[in-house]
Amino acid sequence: MAEGVKLLGALPSPFVYRVIWALKLKAIPYEFIEEDVTNKSPLLLKYNPVHKQIPVLLHGDKPVCESMIIVEYIDETWPQNPLLPNDPYERALARFWVKFAEDKGTSVRRMFLATGEELEKTRKEILEMLQNVEEHGLGKKKFFGGDSVGIADIAFGSVVYWLEVIEEVVGEGVIFEAQKFPRLHAWIKNFKQAPIIKENLPERDWMMTFFKGRREAILAASA
């Protein structure tokens, strides 16, 4: 069933990495097709005509769009190494935290592009998001669903790993402090050390250079 799997994306998009992690955790071979988001290809426009955004998964000639919808599609199509729990209640909890990551994680992107009052507002939103996950999301578990990386870890991994870089690029002080968020710090350490994830994380120094240049260019263009 893995035959004919292609991923349209651009690096280091956190949304693309969600899909990469899911494919790698399932050991599904795929072809990566690099997209230029400033000059979108006919292939991307053909297979995602509504949003015209990455990532897009092509399974044969069937396109699937939106990163966490793609991750669920992968999990349902290839049952090995399940990313969602079998228990209905545990599945509901996992989906709750995925939705929370989707709704609240946008603050990280907004902080990347923000200055002044808007920057301070997004920092407060991120602190509130992290506090909620610290207090209610993890408990004493290694990962959101227990002892192995699951769908909620994929969703939040793409928020927190990128946050660690973005907050340094923005340079207005550390939000994700170890003493404030000990459970989250233990979790992201475990996440980054999981073998498949570790092998498929973007290199931090490269991300720093990429996002610093991108932020400077965007802010200069809007000045």
Side-chain angles (χ1 to χ4, degrees):
M1 291 187 73
E3 186 177 354
V5 177
K6 298 178 182 179
L7 174 59
L8 279 61
L11 305 179
S13 163
F15 306 108
V16 172
Y17 271 95
R18 287 173 170 178
V19 181
I20 290 172
W21 294 334
L23 289 167
K24 293 290 187 177
L25 287 164
K26 297 279 189 175
I28 301 163
Y30 67 96
E31 177 188 352
F32 184 75
I33 300 174
E34 182 81 26
E35 283 288 332
D36 179 355
V37 295
T38 64
N39 184 24
K40 297 174 183 179
S41 72
L43 195 66
L44 177 61
L45 299 177
K46 174 183 177 182
Y47 285 114
N48 191 358
V50 177
H51 295 303
K52 304 175 178 64
Q53 293 176 339
I54 56 166
V56 176
L57 184 82
L58 294 177
H59 187 192
D61 61 353
K62 296 180 295 186
V64 187
C65 305
E66 299 294 317
S67 63
M68 293 313 299
I69 293 174
I70 296 171
V71 171
E72 281 217 42
Y73 175 82
I74 291 168
D75 197 41
E76 292 172 359
T77 304
W78 292 277
Q80 70 271 21
N81 304 324
L83 302 174
L84 274 161
N86 288 325
D87 179 76
Y89 178 69
E90 294 297 326
R91 289 171 75 90
L93 282 180
R95 287 190 171 115
F96 173 87
W97 288 111
V98 168
K99 180 70 162 55
F100 188 83
E102 292 279 78
D103 291 346
K104 303 299 182 180
T106 57
S107 296
V108 177
R109 174 173 171 76
R110 286 172 40 234
M111 182 179 75
F112 172 63
L113 300 172
T115 57
E117 291 182 6
E118 179 63 18
L119 177 57
E120 188 57 34
K121 179 183 176 183
T122 58
R123 286 174 59 85
K124 289 178 180 178
E125 290 174 359
I126 292 167
L127 277 168
E128 183 180 354
M129 172 188 70
L130 295 174
Q131 196 64 51
N132 271 309
V133 180
E134 177 75 16
E135 293 178 6
H136 307 294
L138 287 165
K140 297 179 180 180
K141 296 176 290 186
K142 183 176 182 181
F143 298 107
F144 276 85
D147 294 328
S148 59
V149 172
I151 196 166
D153 303 289
I154 288 172
F156 265 105
S158 66
V159 174
V160 176
Y161 186 72
W162 271 255
L163 170 62
E164 291 179 310
V165 173
I166 300 284
E167 67 177 358
E168 190 171 340
V169 168
V170 171
E172 292 292 326
V174 176
I175 299 173
F176 186 43
E177 297 181 69
Q179 62 269 31
K180 283 186 179 179
F181 307 107
R183 289 174 178 169
L184 266 172
H185 266 266
W187 163 79
I188 194 64
K189 182 179 179 181
N190 289 329
F191 181 75
K192 290 189 287 189
Q193 289 179 346
I196 294 294
I197 303 300
K198 186 177 181 179
E199 293 167 9
N200 294 281
L201 279 173
E203 201 275 326
R204 184 184 174 91
D205 288 344
W206 175 69
M207 288 177 69
M208 285 289 300
T209 301
F210 176 88
F211 283 118
K212 186 176 181 180
R214 188 76 176 269
R215 176 175 163 85
E216 288 172 354
I218 291 171
L219 293 181
S222 63

